[in-house]
Amino acid sequence: SLTTIIQKMSTARSLLLGKSPRYFKAFLGNPRTGRGTAAAFSKTSVVSSSSSSNLQDFFNPTEVHADLRSMLRDFVKKEVEPQALDFNRTEKFNLPLLRQLGDLGLLGLTVEEEYGGTGLDAAAVVLAHEELSYSDPAFCLSYLAHSLLLVNNLSTNASPEQKEKFLPAAVAGQHIGGMGMSEPSAGTDVLGMSTKAVFDHRSDTWHLTGQKMWITNGTLDGGKTTGDLFLVYARTGPERSDITSFVVEKDMPGFQVGQQIHDKLGMRASPTAELVFDNVPIPNGNVIGEVNGATLCMMRNLEIERLGLAAMALGIARRCINVMKDYASDRKAFGKTLWDFGQIQSAISTSYAE
């Protein structure tokens, strides 16, 4: 019953806040079984009766979203915040922490339960990215590349057999990767990509050749090897929109890191790399969707990815406002705190409104 579900959620929340983040599984579900209170509750589509009059409910449309935010905020405070400054200063990637999100069930928020996911919605995606980016936007960017650009795309566009093959390990955090779209000469003009794949009928295999640039999670070990799994777009026909998506796996012959990009202005704890494909053989079973039909899939998946990016900006903005508030409360001038001056109050309140 609905009452039982809510009671289980409350129990899971108490366990997490009082003990260890591993108890988050009781709420989101085990990524290996896909069973969790949140997934079950999300199917009821119940919205709080006071949502129309309560701003907090506007940002947490169901009890599931409210509890997810509360527990994730506690996890970020305990696990993400303490490591953020060091990993960004030194351009290190905290791979164990990202894998921990898999243990917690967060890497498959939008994935069906049968493949290890929790089956939640875009609102859950938004609040997860807001909370993570509050403390570490770079870490959150790697989370986005894996959970949305790779995992959500596979969940939406792959066949049942492909989902069974690729999603459980990606949702559990055993395999970490991203998506290859941009190229050295094709950024915003994504349909101008030159990476191509040619089909060999004799071997029932595609041969992928080209480069992808600025790929988040392109390497996980400082540029030595590639990440584990990538959804890569390539030209497969003469028309401008003849684009096909392929799953490229680590250690495929001819697939390697071109370079890791260092000294970035920001997002320094998120690894960015160039990926090189030198006649990489791709089995026909690794084609996602229809041949020459990936353009629509690519654009549709970017919709939820941009929601995640917007939510990251919201988390960063919320952190900035809190830093402003803390400084205005601590700093004193003319015998009182800056917070007591109308001009400062106006600046902070304007920032909050924006």
Side-chain angles (χ1 to χ4, degrees):
S1 69
L2 183 60
T3 302
T4 302
I5 291 172
I6 294 175
Q7 289 174 344
K8 288 182 178 179
M9 285 196 305
S10 298
T11 300
R13 178 180 179 181
S14 299
L15 287 170
L16 174 69
L17 297 180
K19 296 183 179 179
S20 166
R22 67 186 176 86
Y23 287 96
F24 202 13
K25 284 184 179 179
F27 175 74
L28 279 183
N30 190 313
R32 294 171 180 82
T33 65
R35 298 172 181 172
T37 304
F41 186 80
S42 67
K43 296 177 180 179
T44 65
S45 300
V46 176
V47 179
S48 171
S49 60
S50 62
S51 60
S52 60
S53 59
N54 188 320
L55 184 61
Q56 185 65 25
D57 289 340
F58 179 80
F59 291 103
N60 302 293
T62 70
E63 293 286 344
V64 166
H65 296 92
D67 277 6
L68 174 61
R69 184 186 296 276
S70 176
M71 289 186 286
L72 187 53
R73 186 167 294 187
D74 183 75
F75 172 77
V76 168
K77 180 180 179 181
K78 293 178 179 178
E79 304 292 338
V80 180
E81 177 70 24
Q83 57 83 56
L85 186 57
D86 176 60
F87 277 81
N88 278 272
R89 276 178 171 168
T90 57
E91 290 191 289
K92 295 186 298 184
F93 176 48
N94 197 336
L95 181 57
L97 186 61
L98 189 63
R99 294 196 195 280
Q100 192 173 352
L101 296 185
D103 293 336
L104 301 179
L106 289 169
L107 295 181
L109 282 180
T110 60
V111 175
E112 304 97 316
E113 295 177 55
E114 60 187 294
Y115 303 112
T118 51
L120 293 178
D121 56 9
V125 169
V126 166
L127 71 86
H129 284 78
E130 178 194 346
E131 295 300 327
L132 287 170
S133 64
Y134 178 88
S135 285
D136 195 343
F139 175 75
C140 186
L141 186 64
S142 282
Y143 168 69
L144 178 147
H146 178 79
S147 66
L148 296 184
L149 293 180
L150 174 64
V151 171
N152 181 78
N153 202 326
L154 290 174
S155 177
T156 302
N157 299 306
S159 68
E161 294 76 17
Q162 291 169 329
K163 293 180 183 181
E164 184 64 37
K165 178 180 179 181
F166 297 118
L167 281 178
V171 168
Q174 297 167 0
H175 290 167
I176 299 295
M179 182 264 284
M181 182 176 67
S182 298
E183 298 181 2
S185 299
T188 304
D189 180 20
V190 64
L191 294 184
M193 69 176 63
S194 59
T195 297
K196 65 179 181 179
V198 179
F199 186 64
D200 183 348
H201 292 274
R202 294 170 301 177
S203 61
D204 196 34
T205 300
W206 294 82
H207 292 273
L208 182 66
T209 302
Q211 298 167 278
K212 294 297 180 180
M213 194 65 170
W214 309 293
I215 306 305
T216 303
N217 299 340
T219 180
L220 307 175
D221 56 8
K224 298 176 183 177
T225 63
T226 69
D228 299 311
L229 200 67
F230 294 89
L231 191 70
V232 177
Y233 295 98
R235 183 164 301 287
T236 49
E239 300 298 325
R240 181 172 167 82
S241 61
D242 285 347
I243 305 296
T244 303
S245 59
F246 301 86
V247 172
V248 182
E249 303 171 65
K250 183 176 183 177
D251 295 330
M252 281 183 166
F255 178 38
Q256 59 186 345
V257 178
Q259 60 175 314
Q260 181 172 2
I261 300 172
H262 294 285
D263 298 323
K264 294 183 294 183
L265 180 62
M267 303 295 180
R268 293 165 60 88
S270 175
T272 308
E274 174 192 27
L275 298 179
V276 177
F277 310 91
D278 184 9
N279 201 33
V280 179
I282 308 291
N284 205 27
N286 281 32
V287 174
I288 303 300
E290 298 181 1
V291 174
N292 295 332
T295 300
L296 182 60
C297 298
M298 175 171 59
M299 296 304 177
R300 283 180 171 172
N301 196 70
L302 288 176
E303 292 176 353
I304 193 168
E305 180 254 357
R306 284 165 180 162
L307 282 177
L309 285 172
M312 287 179 60
L314 181 61
I316 295 169
R318 181 161 59 86
R319 179 61 175 265
C320 290
I321 290 173
N322 285 344
V323 170
M324 293 163 62
K325 288 165 55 181
D326 290 343
Y327 182 77
S329 298
D330 294 338
R331 178 77 162 84
K332 293 184 178 180
F334 304 101
K336 51 186 178 181
T337 65
L338 297 186
W339 187 257
D340 294 319
F341 292 94
Q343 301 95 320
I344 302 300
Q345 294 173 10
S346 176
I348 294 177
S349 60
T350 299
S351 296
Y352 178 79
E354 291 175 347

